[in-house]
Short mmCIF file of all heavy atoms in Angstrom, two decimals:
data_model
loop_
_atom_site.label_atom_id
_atom_site.label_comp_id
_atom_site.label_asym_id
_atom_site.label_seq_id
_atom_site.Cartn_x
_atom_site.Cartn_y
_atom_site.Cartn_z
N ALA A 1 -14.05 -23.07 15.34
CA ALA A 1 -13.94 -23.47 13.95
C ALA A 1 -15.36 -23.96 13.40
O ALA A 1 -15.79 -23.58 12.24
CB ALA A 1 -12.84 -24.36 13.57
N LEU A 2 -16.02 -24.85 14.07
CA LEU A 2 -17.11 -25.44 13.70
C LEU A 2 -18.30 -24.32 13.70
O LEU A 2 -19.03 -24.26 12.65
CB LEU A 2 -17.55 -26.51 14.67
CG LEU A 2 -18.98 -27.24 14.38
CD1 LEU A 2 -18.73 -28.03 12.89
CD2 LEU A 2 -19.30 -28.22 15.37
N TYR A 3 -18.24 -23.46 14.58
CA TYR A 3 -19.29 -22.42 14.67
C TYR A 3 -19.16 -21.44 13.44
O TYR A 3 -20.12 -21.15 12.80
CB TYR A 3 -19.10 -21.60 16.04
CG TYR A 3 -19.81 -20.22 16.01
CD1 TYR A 3 -21.34 -20.29 16.33
CD2 TYR A 3 -19.15 -19.00 15.75
CE1 TYR A 3 -21.92 -18.94 16.30
CE2 TYR A 3 -19.83 -17.86 15.73
CZ TYR A 3 -21.19 -17.79 16.10
OH TYR A 3 -21.91 -16.55 16.03
N HIS A 4 -17.96 -21.09 13.27
CA HIS A 4 -17.73 -20.05 12.00
C HIS A 4 -18.03 -20.79 10.72
O HIS A 4 -18.53 -20.03 9.72
CB HIS A 4 -16.30 -19.58 12.10
CG HIS A 4 -16.09 -18.45 13.14
ND1 HIS A 4 -15.73 -18.67 14.35
CD2 HIS A 4 -16.31 -17.08 12.97
CE1 HIS A 4 -15.69 -17.53 15.08
NE2 HIS A 4 -16.00 -16.46 14.31
N ALA A 5 -17.79 -22.07 10.68
CA ALA A 5 -18.10 -22.76 9.39
C ALA A 5 -19.49 -22.86 9.12
O ALA A 5 -20.06 -22.61 8.07
CB ALA A 5 -17.46 -24.13 9.43
N ALA A 6 -20.31 -23.12 10.21
CA ALA A 6 -21.61 -23.03 10.15
C ALA A 6 -22.30 -21.79 9.91
O ALA A 6 -23.25 -21.67 9.06
CB ALA A 6 -22.42 -23.62 11.48
N VAL A 7 -21.81 -20.61 10.47
CA VAL A 7 -22.29 -19.40 10.34
C VAL A 7 -22.08 -18.89 8.97
O VAL A 7 -22.79 -18.25 8.31
CB VAL A 7 -21.64 -18.39 11.31
CG1 VAL A 7 -21.88 -16.85 10.96
CG2 VAL A 7 -22.16 -18.66 12.73
N GLU A 8 -20.81 -19.34 8.37
CA GLU A 8 -20.47 -18.89 7.03
C GLU A 8 -21.50 -19.55 6.04
O GLU A 8 -21.87 -18.89 5.02
CB GLU A 8 -18.98 -19.23 6.83
CG GLU A 8 -18.55 -18.65 5.37
CD GLU A 8 -18.53 -17.18 5.30
OE1 GLU A 8 -18.39 -16.62 6.38
OE2 GLU A 8 -18.80 -16.63 4.15
N ARG A 9 -21.80 -20.76 6.25
CA ARG A 9 -22.76 -21.36 5.35
C ARG A 9 -24.04 -20.72 5.39
O ARG A 9 -24.77 -20.54 4.41
CB ARG A 9 -22.89 -22.79 5.88
CG ARG A 9 -23.78 -23.64 4.89
CD ARG A 9 -23.74 -25.28 5.35
NE ARG A 9 -24.47 -26.09 4.42
CZ ARG A 9 -24.13 -26.36 3.18
NH1 ARG A 9 -22.82 -26.26 2.89
NH2 ARG A 9 -24.77 -27.18 2.43
N VAL A 10 -24.56 -20.23 6.68
CA VAL A 10 -25.80 -19.61 6.69
C VAL A 10 -25.75 -18.22 6.01
O VAL A 10 -26.65 -17.90 5.30
CB VAL A 10 -26.16 -19.30 8.25
CG1 VAL A 10 -27.45 -18.35 8.36
CG2 VAL A 10 -26.55 -20.59 8.97
N GLY A 11 -24.63 -17.55 6.17
CA GLY A 11 -24.38 -16.33 5.36
C GLY A 11 -24.36 -16.37 4.03
O GLY A 11 -24.60 -15.34 3.32
N GLN A 12 -24.13 -17.54 3.36
CA GLN A 12 -24.18 -17.60 1.93
C GLN A 12 -25.48 -17.33 1.30
O GLN A 12 -25.63 -16.92 0.10
CB GLN A 12 -23.77 -19.11 1.53
CG GLN A 12 -22.28 -19.28 1.75
CD GLN A 12 -21.91 -20.71 1.51
OE1 GLN A 12 -22.72 -21.64 1.13
NE2 GLN A 12 -20.65 -21.16 1.67
N GLY A 13 -26.56 -17.43 2.17
CA GLY A 13 -27.94 -17.17 1.66
C GLY A 13 -28.16 -15.72 1.37
O GLY A 13 -29.04 -15.22 0.83
N ASN A 14 -27.19 -14.81 1.93
CA ASN A 14 -27.29 -13.34 1.63
C ASN A 14 -27.22 -13.04 0.17
O ASN A 14 -27.79 -12.01 -0.26
CB ASN A 14 -26.20 -12.67 2.42
CG ASN A 14 -26.20 -11.14 2.30
OD1 ASN A 14 -27.26 -10.50 2.68
ND2 ASN A 14 -25.22 -10.63 1.59
N ALA A 15 -26.55 -13.81 -0.59
CA ALA A 15 -26.35 -13.71 -2.02
C ALA A 15 -27.34 -14.18 -2.82
O ALA A 15 -27.34 -13.85 -4.06
CB ALA A 15 -24.96 -14.08 -2.44
N ALA A 16 -28.20 -14.92 -2.33
CA ALA A 16 -29.35 -15.51 -3.15
C ALA A 16 -30.25 -14.56 -3.89
O ALA A 16 -30.66 -13.53 -3.14
CB ALA A 16 -30.18 -16.49 -2.27
N ILE A 17 -30.43 -14.69 -5.14
CA ILE A 17 -31.39 -13.82 -5.83
C ILE A 17 -32.77 -14.36 -5.77
O ILE A 17 -32.94 -15.45 -6.24
CB ILE A 17 -30.88 -13.74 -7.24
CG1 ILE A 17 -29.41 -13.22 -7.44
CG2 ILE A 17 -31.91 -12.78 -7.95
CD1 ILE A 17 -29.31 -11.81 -6.87
N GLU A 18 -33.67 -13.66 -5.29
CA GLU A 18 -35.11 -14.08 -5.05
C GLU A 18 -35.83 -13.58 -6.41
O GLU A 18 -35.70 -12.58 -6.97
CB GLU A 18 -35.75 -13.46 -3.93
CG GLU A 18 -35.06 -13.94 -2.63
CD GLU A 18 -35.39 -13.03 -1.45
OE1 GLU A 18 -35.25 -11.85 -1.55
OE2 GLU A 18 -35.72 -13.66 -0.38
N ALA A 19 -36.85 -14.47 -6.74
CA ALA A 19 -37.57 -14.24 -8.03
C ALA A 19 -38.38 -12.93 -8.09
O ALA A 19 -38.37 -12.21 -9.02
CB ALA A 19 -38.64 -15.44 -8.16
N GLY A 20 -38.76 -12.45 -6.91
CA GLY A 20 -39.58 -11.26 -6.77
C GLY A 20 -38.63 -10.13 -6.67
O GLY A 20 -39.08 -8.87 -6.68
N TYR A 21 -37.41 -10.26 -6.55
CA TYR A 21 -36.37 -9.13 -6.35
C TYR A 21 -35.17 -9.42 -7.17
O TYR A 21 -34.06 -9.26 -6.69
CB TYR A 21 -36.09 -8.99 -4.78
CG TYR A 21 -37.25 -8.65 -3.93
CD1 TYR A 21 -38.08 -9.63 -3.30
CD2 TYR A 21 -37.58 -7.41 -3.75
CE1 TYR A 21 -39.08 -9.38 -2.61
CE2 TYR A 21 -38.66 -6.93 -2.93
CZ TYR A 21 -39.37 -7.99 -2.41
OH TYR A 21 -40.41 -7.79 -1.63
N ASP A 22 -35.31 -9.70 -8.52
CA ASP A 22 -34.28 -9.93 -9.26
C ASP A 22 -33.89 -8.88 -10.31
O ASP A 22 -33.03 -9.17 -11.14
CB ASP A 22 -34.41 -11.37 -9.90
CG ASP A 22 -35.79 -11.26 -10.78
OD1 ASP A 22 -36.56 -10.37 -10.65
OD2 ASP A 22 -36.02 -12.36 -11.53
N ARG A 23 -34.63 -7.88 -10.34
CA ARG A 23 -34.37 -6.75 -11.14
C ARG A 23 -34.01 -5.39 -10.58
O ARG A 23 -34.48 -5.01 -9.58
CB ARG A 23 -35.69 -6.54 -12.06
CG ARG A 23 -36.11 -7.54 -12.92
CD ARG A 23 -37.30 -7.23 -13.77
NE ARG A 23 -37.79 -8.33 -14.60
CZ ARG A 23 -38.84 -8.21 -15.46
NH1 ARG A 23 -39.45 -7.20 -15.51
NH2 ARG A 23 -39.11 -9.38 -16.18
N ALA A 24 -33.02 -4.83 -11.12
CA ALA A 24 -32.41 -3.62 -10.57
C ALA A 24 -33.43 -2.56 -10.72
O ALA A 24 -34.19 -2.47 -11.63
CB ALA A 24 -31.14 -3.20 -11.17
N PRO A 25 -33.67 -1.59 -9.78
CA PRO A 25 -34.67 -0.68 -9.82
C PRO A 25 -34.28 0.37 -10.92
O PRO A 25 -33.16 0.59 -11.16
CB PRO A 25 -34.67 0.07 -8.34
CG PRO A 25 -33.29 -0.26 -7.83
CD PRO A 25 -32.95 -1.66 -8.43
N SER A 26 -35.29 0.99 -11.37
CA SER A 26 -35.06 1.99 -12.42
C SER A 26 -34.96 3.49 -11.95
O SER A 26 -34.63 4.47 -12.72
CB SER A 26 -36.30 2.06 -13.61
OG SER A 26 -37.54 2.23 -12.90
N ARG A 27 -35.24 3.65 -10.68
CA ARG A 27 -35.16 5.03 -10.15
C ARG A 27 -33.88 5.33 -9.82
O ARG A 27 -33.09 4.61 -9.10
CB ARG A 27 -36.07 5.15 -8.79
CG ARG A 27 -37.45 4.82 -8.96
CD ARG A 27 -38.29 5.21 -7.76
NE ARG A 27 -39.66 4.74 -7.71
CZ ARG A 27 -40.47 5.05 -6.68
NH1 ARG A 27 -39.95 5.57 -5.56
NH2 ARG A 27 -41.66 4.50 -6.68
N PRO A 28 -33.37 6.61 -10.01
CA PRO A 28 -32.09 7.06 -9.62
C PRO A 28 -32.01 7.37 -8.18
O PRO A 28 -30.82 7.62 -7.68
CB PRO A 28 -31.82 8.30 -10.57
CG PRO A 28 -33.27 8.84 -10.78
CD PRO A 28 -34.01 7.53 -10.91
#
């Protein structure tokens, strides 16, 4: 349980929006 809680906390960084990559591309 402790391991999965820690891993889940690390995984939350996946949703972070970075300043250099915050705009959707214009190419189809």
